[in-house]
Amino acid sequence: VQEAAGEGQVVDYILDQTGMKGTGRWTVQEAAEQSVAAPTIAASLDARYLSARKEERVAASTILSGPTEMPSVDKTQVISDLQAALYCAKVCSYAQGLGIIEAASNAHNWNVDLSSCARMWRGGCIIRAELLHKIQDALARDKNLKNLMVDATFAAELNARQMAWRRIVTLSIAAGISSPALSASLTYYDQYRRASVPANLVQAQRDFFGGHTYKRVDMEGTFHTAWTDAHKDIGDLSGRTAGNL
């Protein structure tokens, strides 16, 4: 939309501070309460928090440096890749939101029908979108769908677009342009699609500094290692796992 009182577009005259009503915060809090990963949603919330610190960002812009050489790109390719990346991130966002609802439903015995949720959202709400038709169909096809990303239709689309998605994220990093939600979504996708992740190192570190024990891939049971001479016998391991979520 053209700016009526001056030159350029209206969007260029809007202060870069995002307002909040609290729904994003409540969503991330509930995700943490239900132990559901929601990095896309959390990234968007963090971006709002950072946008609110306008004075700090203005001061930091005179101190902190970014890339001095911009990558050479083809504009047409970037636009095409950006469309693909945005679509993939939107799928991840819906997958995370649905995961939160499902977890809360299971915890409280609400018996929420996720397909019906998608149908109601289509009828009129802040997240209404054409994408909800496909989401509703996916959830109706498989009532036990663990994650929207592994539905056959969405999986094929993500697989076809993932390289474009990666190009946009790497381009953003190389150009010093923050793209928190796109980046967080890609990390979510990459971690979810792997049969093995480096969480074994994290669990080893937890056992090292706190005696939190670990499980093994080659045998049943709970284990602890005396990693250095300073580590002592911690006794009954069952007490070390009490209170685990």
Side-chain angles (χ1 to χ4, degrees), residues 6-238:
E7 298 180 355
Q9 306 293 319
V10 171
V11 68
D12 296 321
Y13 292 86
I14 298 176
L15 182 65
D16 59 334
Q17 287 180 300
T18 308
M20 290 184 288
K21 294 294 186 182
T23 51
R25 181 186 302 167
W26 302 333
T27 302
V28 171
Q29 288 172 338
E30 187 61 31
E33 184 67 27
Q34 299 299 335
S35 298
V36 174
T40 306
I41 303 170
S44 67
L45 188 63
D46 287 340
R48 289 189 176 199
Y49 292 151
L50 281 169
S51 77
R53 298 181 177 271
K54 177 68 172 181
E55 292 184 3
E56 291 183 32
R57 291 188 289 110
V58 171
S61 69
T62 66
I63 301 170
L64 303 177
S65 299
T68 56
E69 296 183 9
M70 292 296 104
S72 177
V73 298
D74 177 79
K75 183 177 179 180
T76 302
Q77 180 71 59
V78 169
I79 292 174
S80 176
D81 285 352
L82 187 57
Q83 290 174 328
L86 178 59
Y87 180 83
C88 292
K90 287 172 65 177
V91 172
C92 289
S93 181
Y94 276 109
Q96 293 160 30
L98 290 165
I100 297 169
I101 294 173
E102 182 180 35
S105 175
N106 292 338
H108 300 290
N109 297 315
W110 290 339
N111 297 316
V112 173
D113 184 332
L114 296 180
S115 179
S116 294
C117 282
R119 178 176 56 82
M120 287 187 291
W121 292 338
R122 282 173 46 202
C125 76
I126 195 172
I127 62 171
R128 181 173 51 187
E130 286 296 321
L131 184 58
L132 286 168
H133 287 277
K134 293 166 65 174
I135 293 175
Q136 180 185 350
D137 291 343
L139 296 170
R141 279 194 300 271
D142 184 357
K143 295 291 185 180
N144 298 311
L145 187 64
K146 294 300 183 182
N147 189 296
L148 189 64
M149 295 190 298
V150 297
D151 168 74
T153 298
F154 283 110
E157 292 178 332
L158 292 171
N159 289 339
R161 292 169 169 81
Q162 53 101 9
M163 286 310 299
W165 192 4
R166 296 180 194 284
R167 286 194 293 269
I168 287 297
V169 171
T170 54
L171 176 60
S172 298
I173 293 171
I177 300 172
S178 61
S179 56
L182 293 178
S183 301
S185 299
L186 182 56
T187 299
Y188 174 77
Y189 168 84
D190 275 337
Q191 189 166 12
Y192 194 81
R193 70 179 180 82
R194 295 189 64 86
S196 297
V197 296
N200 54 334
L201 176 59
V202 175
Q203 194 61 21
Q205 291 173 324
R206 293 183 74 243
D207 188 56
F208 177 91
F209 67 69
H212 292 292
T213 72
Y214 56 86
K215 295 184 181 298
R216 297 177 61 101
V217 298
D218 58 343
M219 63 181 75
E220 296 292 326
T222 301
F223 302 88
H224 168 70
T225 294
W227 299 92
T228 70
D229 293 339
H231 287 84
K232 307 299 182 182
D233 180 22
I234 61 175
D236 183 12
L237 298 184
S238 62

